[in-house]
């Protein structure tokens, strides 16, 4: 009844579909055991140090959070070798993405990203009535730098470039020299253009030719880096992430930030998780080992996949199983394995698998194996 009162750009929003919940899948399919490899979560759970800090923090829940996030910013500043003013804390890095777009773009203006880029950039833009211009990917799903620079040159109303490196859902990345060249070319093409580089999966990276965040900022002050506690630190449910960038950018964004955008438990948990290097190491090793095991299995079944630097793999359901990504997703659901279709990215033939523990992965391997044997 009220829908016509909403502006066009809100009416046209396609609701975000998160990974299917475990309990819902159990109910729908009458299953006792279900594994979820759908949301790039940490299969080991949360950092134990964070859990301990949360328990301690429970007695202070009647207090508002520290709006300045002093303790977490101090810990991050020390860890990263930066100053507190070079940090912006958000309710997950999604919140930071939203804040950056709100502060830089007016309705009708644009952001630039690539095809199959992490969906939050476009969603946050559209909520503000901001357009998203997408540069093509090459045949390996790697961003085409020339296409990005052309969009920067041709669109003076575009205010930001967003690039996840590695990207979700593709797992692909722009290597070192290409990324550094691109960042320089964007600066030359347009003074003042901000490049937001999303390093949500940085802690999982094994490739040697992927640019470390510190080579991007402070080396380039038009770069803003996004980081999160949702992935390797295992705190996705708490919602805490941050950005690293030039103080003059964040001083302005701070004016628009909700003072209590990060809750008190998230702030103390993140601070504790940051110190928990043993947990990070364990999660990294598990991901390296299990990602390799997945790759071996997929090669054995002749299911093509895109080499990934994240805690997930994108597989070709069409070539591998003769079905669409959604069809393979539905098959696995019935077997108690939740994976993630990526048709919303225009990738109809593909399906994303988050790397789990060995027992979670084995359940998925059984489902794939049965399907392969049936199709013989
Ligand atoms: C590339 C990328 N950036 C950011 C995020 C969002 O993370 P957060 O939970 O910090 O909002 C994700 C989550 O999946 C992601 O894949």
């Amino acid at each position: 009844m009220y829908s016509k009162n909403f502006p066009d750009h809100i009416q046209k929003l396609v609701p975000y579909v998160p990974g299917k919940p475990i309990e819902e899948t159990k109910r729908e399919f009458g299953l006792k055991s279900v594994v979820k490899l759908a949301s790039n979560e940490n299969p080991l759970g949360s950092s134990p140090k964070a859990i301990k800090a949360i328990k301690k923090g429970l007695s202070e829940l009647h207090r508002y959070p520290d709006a300045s996030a002093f303790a977490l910013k101090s810990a991050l500043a020390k860890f990263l070798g930066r100053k507190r003013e070079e940090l912006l804390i958000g309710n997950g890095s999604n919140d930071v993405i939203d804040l950056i777009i709100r502060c830089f773009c007016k309705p009708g203006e644009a952001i630039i990203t690539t095809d199959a880029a992490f969906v939050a950039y476009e969603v946050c833009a559209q909520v503000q009535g901001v357009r998203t211009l997408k540069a093509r990917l090459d045949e390996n799903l790697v961003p085409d730098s020339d296409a990005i620079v052309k969009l920067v040159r041709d669109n003076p109303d575009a205010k930001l470039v967003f690039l996840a490196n590695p990207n979700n859902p593709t797992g692909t990345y722009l290597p070192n020299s290409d990324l550094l060249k691109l960042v320089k070319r964007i600066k030359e093409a347009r003074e003042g253009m901000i490049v937001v580089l999303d390093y949500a999966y940085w802690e999982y990276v094994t490739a040697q030719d992927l640019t470390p965040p510190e080579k991007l900022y402070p080396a380039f002050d038009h770069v803003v880096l996004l980081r999160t506690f949702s992935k390797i630190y295992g705190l996705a449910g708490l919602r805490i992430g941050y950005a690293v960038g030039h103080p003059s950018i964040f001083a302005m964004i701070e004016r628009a930030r909700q003072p209590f955008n990060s809750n008190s438990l998230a702030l103390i948990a993140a601070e504790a998780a940051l110190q928990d290097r043993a947990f990070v190491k364990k999660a990294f090793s598990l991901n390296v080992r299990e990602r390799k095991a997945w790759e071996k299995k997929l090669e054995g079944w002749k299911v093509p996949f895109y080499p990934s630097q994240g805690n997930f793999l994108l597989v070709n359901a069409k070539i591998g199983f003769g079905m669409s990504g959604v069809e393979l997703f539905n098959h696995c659901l019935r077997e108690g394995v939740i994976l993630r279709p990526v048709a919303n990215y225009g990738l109809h033939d593909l399906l994303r698998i988050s790397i789990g523990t060995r027992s979670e992965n084995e359940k998925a391997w059984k489902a794939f194996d049965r399907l392969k044997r049936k199709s013989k």
Side-chain angles (χ1 to χ4, degrees), residues 71-353:
L72 177 58
K73 277 192 181 175
S74 302
L76 280 169
K78 190 164 169 220
F79 180 72
L80 300 165
R82 302 257 55 84
K83 299 195 194 90
R84 278 195 299 276
E85 309 83 81
E86 293 174 294
L87 300 167
L88 176 71
I89 310 289
N91 185 30
S93 47
N94 261 287
D95 181 38
V96 180
I97 294 165
D98 188 62
L99 263 171
I100 293 175
I101 295 176
R102 270 199 282 144
C103 291
F104 273 96
C105 304
K106 293 201 278 265
E109 292 182 337
I111 62 161
I112 293 170
T113 186
T114 66
D115 285 334
F118 177 50
V119 70
Y121 314 141
E122 185 168 8
V123 173
C124 293
Q126 197 177 332
V127 172
Q128 311 301 328
V130 171
R131 295 172 297 123
T132 299
L133 308 170
K134 296 180 191 171
R136 67 174 170 266
L137 301 176
D138 70 13
E139 66 282 7
N140 299 315
L141 304 186
V142 175
D144 178 330
S145 295
D146 290 341
I148 296 173
V149 174
K150 183 167 174 6
L151 283 177
V152 173
R153 285 213 185 96
D154 293 351
N155 294 280
D157 64 346
K159 295 293 158 68
L160 298 160
V161 175
F162 280 89
L163 204 60
N165 214 39
N167 181 47
N168 165 30
T170 56
T172 57
Y173 66 99
L174 260 189
N176 242 332
S177 59
D178 292 358
L179 183 63
L180 292 172
K181 254 189 243 155
L182 174 65
V183 165
K184 277 187 207 149
R185 286 175 73 193
I186 292 173
K187 195 176 175 76
E188 282 158 18
R190 183 115 56 84
E191 196 56 47
M193 183 92 172
I194 302 293
V195 184
V196 184
L197 295 173
D198 186 340
Y199 272 63
Y201 298 97
W202 169 248
E203 292 86 353
Y204 292 109
V205 164
T206 49
Q208 297 300 310
D209 60 345
L210 212 147
T211 314
E214 58 275 14
K215 285 230 167 116
L216 294 156
Y217 180 83
F220 297 99
D221 60 16
H222 66 304
V223 164
V224 171
L225 298 168
L226 295 184
R227 309 288 298 269
T228 184
F229 285 95
S230 295
K231 305 298 171 187
I232 209 151
Y233 295 100
L235 298 177
L238 274 182
R239 314 303 305 127
I240 186 102
Y242 63 98
V244 188
H246 198 270
S248 69
I249 296 175
F250 293 160
M252 196 60 78
I253 294 179
E254 281 290 344
R255 299 179 186 184
R257 182 179 66 82
Q258 298 263 349
F260 306 119
N261 64 333
S262 305
N263 73 75
S264 46
L265 293 182
L267 290 170
I268 54 176
E271 191 189 338
L274 192 65
Q275 314 306 332
D276 199 345
R277 302 325 295 172
F279 181 75
V280 170
K281 209 168 152 196
K282 196 166 152 197
F284 170 79
S285 305
L286 174 104
N287 192 63
V288 171
R289 194 177 62 238
E290 294 304 311
R291 194 170 66 192
K292 264 198 205 125
W294 260 107
E295 288 172 357
K296 222 166 143 204
K297 285 278 177 191
L298 292 166
E299 278 159 7
W301 291 314
K302 300 203 171 10
V303 176
F305 61 89
Y306 292 87
S308 167
Q309 288 298 311
N311 60 347
F312 55 90
L313 277 168
L314 192 59
V315 304
N316 194 317
K318 191 57 141 207
I319 299 177
F321 296 96
M323 53 174 73
S324 71
V326 171
E327 285 166 338
L328 182 56
F329 162 76
N330 283 323
H331 165 83
C332 292
L333 262 192
R334 288 191 289 276
E335 302 248 355
V337 179
I338 311 171
L339 304 176
R340 190 66 166 268
V342 284
N344 58 325
Y345 288 91
L347 306 172
H348 297 273
D349 295 348
L350 310 181
L351 186 66
R352 195 190 69 192
I353 302 165

